[in-house]
Every structure is written in C-alpha cells, then in structure tokens.
Amino acid sequence: MLLQLLTALAALAGAACSLLAEGSGTGAISGILPFTAGGFIYLGTVSVLPEILRDSGPGQALLQLLALLAGVAMMLLIAYYE
C-alpha cells in the first residue's frame, strides 16, 4: 500500500511539473516528451509483452505486438505534428 501511495505521489508530482513547465517554451517540452514516451514504451515491453507471449498463441501474440507498435507509432506522430 505504501508503494501504491508513492506511485500516486510521483504521478501527482509529474502532473504538477508538466503544468508548471507549460509556459516555459519548447525547451521544457523537448525534454519531457521523450521521458514520458520512454516510460510508456518501458511499461509496454517489460510488463505487457511477456504476459502476451505467455498467454496466447503465435497469431494472437503477433497481433498484439503489432498493436503495441502501432501505439508507439501514434506517439511518434503526435510528437511530430504537435
């Protein structure tokens, strides 16, 4: 429970930092965006990917892996066009 509280406090601190950095220009955004995208990619590869490969057949695992890669591609497109 204590670790869950620590995670929630870290999320709150991250939200506060992003709100404070909103008006500081593109320099802050160019540092925050890769960090955030890396966190999502880390979660996808470390926690979700092994579970996908363990609990499904090869066809289903390939579809889910393609969906994960599509999510990464969407993050890149959003970062590029934003």
Side-chain angles (χ1 to χ4, degrees):
M1 217 152 114
L2 184 60
L3 289 174
Q4 190 70 14
L5 176 66
L6 182 64
T7 304
L9 289 175
L12 185 63
C17 287
S18 67
L19 289 174
L20 291 173
E22 181 181 359
S24 65
T26 60
I29 294 173
S30 67
I32 292 172
L33 189 63
F35 181 75
T36 305
F40 282 119
I41 294 170
Y42 173 78
L43 285 175
T45 56
V46 170
S47 63
V48 176
L49 194 59
E51 189 172 325
I52 288 171
L53 294 175
R54 182 182 63 228
D55 292 339
S56 62
Q60 184 68 22
L62 180 64
L63 285 175
Q64 291 174 348
L65 181 61
L66 289 174
L68 178 72
L69 292 175
V72 171
M74 283 184 217
M75 285 192 288
L76 287 172
L77 286 173
I78 289 170
Y80 182 73
Y81 287 112
E82 188 174 300

